[in-house]
Amino acid sequence: MGSASPGLSNVSPGCLLLSPDVALRTGVEKAEAGAVGPEKRDWSPSPPATPEQGLSAFYLSCFNMYPEDGSWVAKVPEASAREEPLDEPEQCPVIDSQASASSLDEHSLEQVQSMVVGEVLKDIETACKLLNITADPGDWSPGNVQKWLLWTEHQYRLPPAGKAFQELGGKELCAMSEEQFRQRAPLGGDVLHAHLDIWKSASTSEEGWTDGEVDSSCSGQPIHLWQFLKELLLKPHSYGRFIRWLNKEKGIFKIEDSAQVARLWGVRKNRPAMNYDKLSRSIRQYYKKGIIRKPDISQRLVYQFVHPV
DNA sequence: CATCAGGAGCATC
DNA sequence: GATGCTCCTGATG
């Protein structure tokens, strides 16, 4: 998938996907019914072929596969009854080596999750570039708001609502409730509100990333692979199923899902062809430099930072 | 078969 | 030149 640029690919999947309040309860169902339209009802979880197909529509449809509120994860067909560690940020689940059917389901779910997040972020990024606006709706000028409205209306075939939101800046827009959206735009106001929520949550989680102590996106310097790995390790809440510490003090970590880690790295570096073979080659370049090494007892997919934090 | 190790050429900054 | 992407051969469990 991905050619998302470094900026938006910073967003943590967990922040988006684990916020059912935003994604599920603020009109996504209605978004599907009202905007996505009958021709898109039979979405299967595969990425849209073209931007014009509407990546957010894909996102919305994916969520709508399990539309009741509550835990989205639990709605996955035949999903494991095992508790997901979603509410315990520090918990790093250990993936059983004997993969059961249920853990396989979890894996495919994770793939869908990260895929969806990637597509949504790409969607937002595309819009930002196209419209020359920032990803954070709070920063929008009234002109930016109008651009965003036009774009969203066009993407989801909503009736024009620009006039109803004239003179409103991004801050005011963000402060508005779904009800207020509906008052101003009886047709599609709820959908616009739902989309704005997605943008808001995307930019919020992006800020979360830039707070990271090893994050390099502020400095403008290209991120190093070892920094990226540390970033993932710092966010077990979001990435604990892909990569986790075995011994944080010694800097020993295990890549649990090599394909996902490589994919995330590829997204970050805008290298869609990235895979674990290449990523691991880059890790091995660190051997000589004394940044990463294999631990004393070598294990598959286990590496060690030479200078743990 | 996936992973690991490392050589080599190349692009980018 | 540093960094990492890409492709490669060969080894290993």
Side-chain angles (χ1 to χ4, degrees), chain A residues 114-136:
Chain A
S114 52
M115 191 170 71
V116 168
V117 171
E119 293 305 323
V120 172
L121 297 174
K122 247 165 59 183
D123 194 14
I124 290 177
E125 189 205 353
T126 303
C128 287
K129 278 186 188 158
L130 206 70
L131 307 174
N132 193 24
I133 61 177
T134 65
D136 184 356

Side-chain angles (χ1 to χ4, degrees), chain A residues 40 43 48 50-59 123 151 155-156:
Chain A
K40 290 184 180 174
W43 275 84
T50 66
E52 287 69 31
Q53 267 184 275
L55 296 165
S56 287
F58 167 64
Y59 168 75
D123 194 14
W151 183 81
Q155 286 287 304
Y156 303 101

Side-chain angles (χ1 to χ4, degrees), chain A residues 106-167:
Chain A
E106 283 178 17
H107 265 248
S108 45
L109 169 63
E110 285 153 14
Q111 281 175 1
V112 171
Q113 282 182 335
S114 52
M115 191 170 71
V116 168
V117 171
E119 293 305 323
V120 172
L121 297 174
K122 247 165 59 183
D123 194 14
I124 290 177
E125 189 205 353
T126 303
C128 287
K129 278 186 188 158
L130 206 70
L131 307 174
N132 193 24
I133 61 177
T134 65
D136 184 356
D139 294 339
W140 291 347
S141 67
N144 293 159
V145 169
Q146 289 297 311
K147 281 189 199 172
W148 175 80
L149 283 167
L150 265 174
W151 183 81
T152 308
E153 288 160 11
H154 176 258
Q155 286 287 304
Y156 303 101
R157 301 191 181 94
L158 303 176
K163 271 200 169 163
F165 295 88
Q166 240 167 5
E167 307 303 321

